[in-house]
């Protein structure tokens, strides 16, 4: 007499009263980055870089001017206690923050799902746009040859100093940081949610 294959305390797998085994849970492999997403990231980079020209024009026209004066022997600040130099940096940073926030909002509204290429496009485009804005502002602003400018206007006549960014790299990071922070906040607050897991860990479909 042989022993039964299924112990009496464990129902057979063919027993209709015994629940089926749980399904296998898929691994945590993320969605692959598609060529379309890469193209969208490149497009965001290009548009942000071109928008840097607008930032440069605004900075050139809105930044306060530092006035210099010459006595024929040296060149001095007309107002040694003025805050125009700080105001120039502040104007650039505030404009850059606004451009970064608007860029993130537009990208989020056009593609709520987000994605790594879009975030990289916002960051890289913001950096390139800031560089372009700085270049345009300094190129079309007052000449950097202060000595020649002083000789041209003559002594005791005030003239504008070159447009500069004393904050340097810190000002260049304002746009990309603002873009990434705002985009991250919008995605976390209003982005699509992952479906809830089912009874065995399966993704639960929306509306189920």
């Amino acid at each position: 007499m042989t022993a039964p294959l299924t112990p009496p305390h464990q129902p057979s797998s063919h027993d209709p009263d015994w629940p089926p085994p749980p399904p296998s849970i898929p691994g945590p492999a993320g969605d692959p980055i598609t060529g379309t997403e890469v193209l969208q990231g490149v497009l965001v980079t290009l548009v942000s870089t071109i928008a840097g020209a607008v930032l440069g024009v605004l900075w050139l026209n809105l930044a306060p001017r530092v006035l210099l004066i010459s006595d024929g022997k040296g060149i001095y600040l007309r107002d040694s206690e003025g805050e125009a130099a700080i105001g120039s940096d502040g104007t650039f940073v505030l404009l850059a923050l606004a451009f970064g926030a608007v860029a993130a909002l537009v990208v989020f509204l056009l593609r709520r799902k987000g994605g790594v290429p879009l975030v990289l496009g916002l960051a890289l485009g913001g950096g390139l746009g800031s560089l372009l804005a700085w270049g345009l502002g300094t190129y079309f602003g007052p000449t950097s040859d202060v000595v020649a400018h002083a000789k041209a206007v003559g002594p005791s006549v005030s003239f504008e100093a070159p447009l500069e960014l004393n904050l340097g790299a810190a000002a260049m990071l304002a746009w990309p940081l603002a873009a990434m922070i705002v985009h991250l906040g919008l995605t976390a607050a209003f982005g699509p949610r992952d479906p809830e897991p089912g009874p065995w860990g399966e993704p639960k479909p929306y509306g189920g």
Side-chain angles (χ1 to χ4, degrees):
M1 184 175 181
T2 58
L5 296 178
T6 302
H9 61 278
Q10 293 184 359
S12 172
S13 60
H14 300 288
D15 190 345
D17 296 331
W18 183 251
S24 59
I25 302 176
D31 296 333
I33 298 177
T34 64
T36 302
E37 291 177 333
V38 174
L39 183 61
Q40 291 172 346
V42 173
L43 181 61
V44 170
T45 302
L46 293 176
V47 174
S48 299
T49 303
I50 295 173
V54 181
L55 173 59
V57 173
L58 291 176
W59 180 49
L60 178 61
N61 289 275
L62 297 179
R65 296 291 190 263
V66 177
L67 296 180
L68 304 176
I69 194 169
S70 173
D71 60 358
K73 298 180 180 179
I75 301 173
Y76 312 94
L77 288 171
R78 180 177 178 179
D79 184 4
S80 59
E81 298 181 357
E83 298 180 353
I86 300 176
S88 176
D89 287 56
T91 301
F92 186 94
V93 170
L94 290 177
L95 288 172
L97 291 174
F99 270 67
V102 171
L105 177 61
V106 171
V107 169
F108 175 77
L109 293 177
L110 293 178
R111 195 172 189 277
R112 291 179 178 269
K113 186 178 179 181
V116 175
L118 289 179
V119 176
L120 292 178
L122 285 171
L124 181 59
L128 294 176
S130 297
L131 287 174
L132 178 60
W134 169 74
L136 290 176
T138 54
Y139 181 79
F140 290 102
T143 177
S144 59
D145 192 346
V146 178
V147 176
H149 198 177
K151 292 180 179 179
V153 299
S156 302
V157 178
S158 59
F159 60 95
E160 295 180 356
L163 196 59
E164 296 178 346
L165 275 181
N166 297 314
L167 293 178
M172 295 291 108
L173 293 176
W175 182 338
L177 286 178
M180 290 189 293
I181 292 174
V182 172
H183 188 270
L184 178 61
L186 291 173
T187 303
F190 306 106
R193 298 291 186 267
D194 294 332
E196 298 179 0
W200 295 109
E202 292 179 302
K204 184 178 180 181
Y206 289 108

